[in-house]
Amino acid sequence: MSAPNPLRRRGLELLAQLHGGHAGEAMVAEMQDVCPAFADMTIDWAIGAIMDRPGLDLVTRELVLVASCGTLGYATPQLRAMPRRLCRSARHASRS
């Protein structure tokens, strides 16, 4: 049995932090129903490698995402999920 992928582990941990356990699991399940490779890529690369890398704090990263999605003009579904994620990130940052 091979060791778990560290990007997958970090991605799943951050996903749970951002969306809460059940909401994150539901989001992954929906993506896997449509395209399993996309779900893997999102967790490993977008969340585990990009969102969790050092540099900017998580709250600042979330604000950059809100601004980016807002300027696109067609990312309404993504924008709907962000206020809750941003609040979770801010609460987590205040505890650290």
Side-chain angles (χ1 to χ4, degrees):
M1 188 165 130
S2 64
N5 177 345
L7 290 178
R8 169 59 53 112
R9 181 186 48 76
R10 288 180 12 214
L12 290 171
E13 288 170 1
L14 185 54
L15 186 68
Q17 179 186 332
L18 292 171
H19 294 282
H22 298 298
E25 291 169 9
M27 188 175 79
V28 170
E30 278 183 34
M31 284 191 292
Q32 286 178 331
D33 285 345
V34 175
C35 182
F38 181 70
D40 292 340
M41 186 174 46
T42 298
I43 294 166
D44 296 351
W45 178 76
I47 299 173
I50 303 299
M51 287 295 292
D52 198 43
R53 69 181 169 193
L56 296 175
D57 62 276
L58 190 56
V59 173
T60 304
R61 279 183 210 278
E62 290 288 331
L63 289 171
V64 169
L65 283 172
V66 169
S68 298
C69 287
T71 59
L72 287 172
Y74 56 83
T76 305
Q78 291 83 353
L79 284 170
R80 283 190 194 118
M82 287 185 181
R84 265 182 265 129
R85 284 179 26 189
L86 189 54
C87 289
R88 284 181 193 271
S89 298
R91 278 195 308 265
H92 182 73
S94 68
R95 291 182 200 147
S96 302

